[in-house]
Amino acid sequence: DQQVKQNSPSLSVQEGRISILNCDYTNSMFDYFLWYKKYPAEGPTFLISISSIKDKNEDGRFTVFLNKSAKHLSLHIVPSQPGDSAVYFCAASASDPGGGADGLTFGKGTHLIIQP
Amino acid sequence: DADVTQTPRNRITKTGKRIMLECSQTKGHDRMYWYRQDPGLGLRLIYYSFDVKDINKGEISDGYSVSRQAQAKFSLSLESAIPNQTALYFCATSGGLTDTQYFGPGTRLTVL
């Protein structure tokens, strides 16, 4: 049973607009949530994270929102740029940002395509 | 130079062969992980190690073994490869409780 769900396999957004990627989780023990970005033929790279004690974390064009009661988080990218085209993975940890003894639990990913 | 390297980057092998995938890191991290990714799926944890003397099974360890030769090196072995082990394999490292994971570029393994 998937504990981290990304229900949109792909998302197409026009350059300059806002991209919103969604993630749902089922395990209430998760304490940290992370977004990773992956280009073809490369490993995932860390983008932004949020602790369960917060509801928002911002880093430049990237903002992550966490709604614990709904077990839902979202990544907002504004404005979207062509270089943002990649697969975005939502990940969660029940212990620490590094994943601890259980590693990180990943969603299936959303392929974001930024249209010029 | 990359902080986390994986060799080989691509490998094609036959059913029943023994395969070793290697991971090296220059980040000085104690924690190392091996994940596999299948098409359309997220990454799943195979094994992890918190230091040279500490090896632990992850979610999908059956059919795999690992060796932590040094702080900087963590190898994944398939003793007798089978076709459903065809996947993309990632090594990752982490510096500890407050640090996230850093991934290598991946090894694409095909078992015929």
Side-chain angles (χ1 to χ4, degrees):
Chain A
D1 186 32
Q2 266 202 295
Q3 297 186 69
V4 177
K5 300 177 184 179
Q6 293 178 259
N7 292 319
S8 298
S10 66
L11 175 67
S12 184
V13 174
Q14 206 164 13
E15 182 179 356
R17 301 284 187 120
I18 184 171
S19 294
I20 300 175
L21 293 90
N22 293 304
C23 178
D24 297 294
Y25 63 95
T26 58
N27 188 344
S28 58
M29 300 299 291
F30 286 144
D31 263 345
Y32 291 91
F33 303 90
L34 308 93
W35 285 94
Y36 279 82
K37 178 179 179 179
K38 185 183 180 304
Y39 292 119
E42 296 183 10
T45 56
F46 170 72
L47 192 57
I48 192 169
S49 65
I50 189 167
S51 161
S52 61
I53 63 173
K54 295 185 176 181
D55 55 18
K56 177 183 174 181
N57 189 27
E58 192 172 356
D59 184 2
R61 296 186 297 115
F62 303 92
T63 303
V64 56
F65 296 92
L66 175 63
N67 183 334
K68 282 188 67 178
S69 61
K71 293 190 174 66
H72 176 83
L73 63 154
S74 60
L75 174 68
H76 292 211
I77 306 172
V78 55
S80 300
Q81 298 175 355
D84 296 329
S85 294
V87 176
Y88 289 78
F89 289 101
C90 174
S93 168
S95 54
D96 56 63
D102 296 319
L104 294 173
T105 301
F106 284 84
K108 293 182 179 182
T110 296
H111 185 194
L112 176 64
I113 302 162
I114 305 302
Q115 305 278 8
Chain B
D1 286 341
D3 295 319
V4 184
T5 57
Q6 292 184 235
T7 56
R9 293 294 312 277
N10 289 283
R11 182 71 184 267
I12 300 173
T13 190
K14 294 182 178 179
T15 298
K17 294 291 187 180
R18 184 177 187 275
I19 293 295
M20 179 180 285
L21 309 183
E22 299 188 346
C23 176
S24 294
Q25 53 113 347
T26 58
K27 298 183 79 66
H29 289 168
D30 285 326
R31 298 181 175 190
M32 297 188 75
Y33 301 82
W34 275 105
Y35 292 88
R36 86 176 253 178
Q37 183 190 10
D38 294 280
L41 297 181
L43 283 69
R44 291 181 293 165
L45 183 65
I46 306 172
Y47 268 95
Y48 65 95
S49 169
F50 280 5
D51 65 41
V52 174
K53 297 180 181 179
D54 177 75
I55 301 288
N56 301 280
K57 293 182 178 181
E59 177 189 354
I60 53 165
S61 60
D62 286 349
Y64 301 95
S65 62
V66 291
S67 172
R68 186 81 184 266
Q69 301 94 324
Q71 186 204 37
K73 295 184 183 296
F74 193 35
S75 300
L76 176 72
S77 293
L78 288 68
E79 296 301 326
S80 179
I82 56 177
N84 76 359
Q85 290 177 313
T86 293
L88 197 50
Y89 291 84
F90 290 103
C91 173
T93 74
S94 174
L97 288 175
T98 60
D99 198 14
T100 184
Q101 291 191 10
Y102 303 87
F103 286 82
T107 294
R108 184 169 297 280
L109 176 67
T110 303
V111 183
L112 301 176

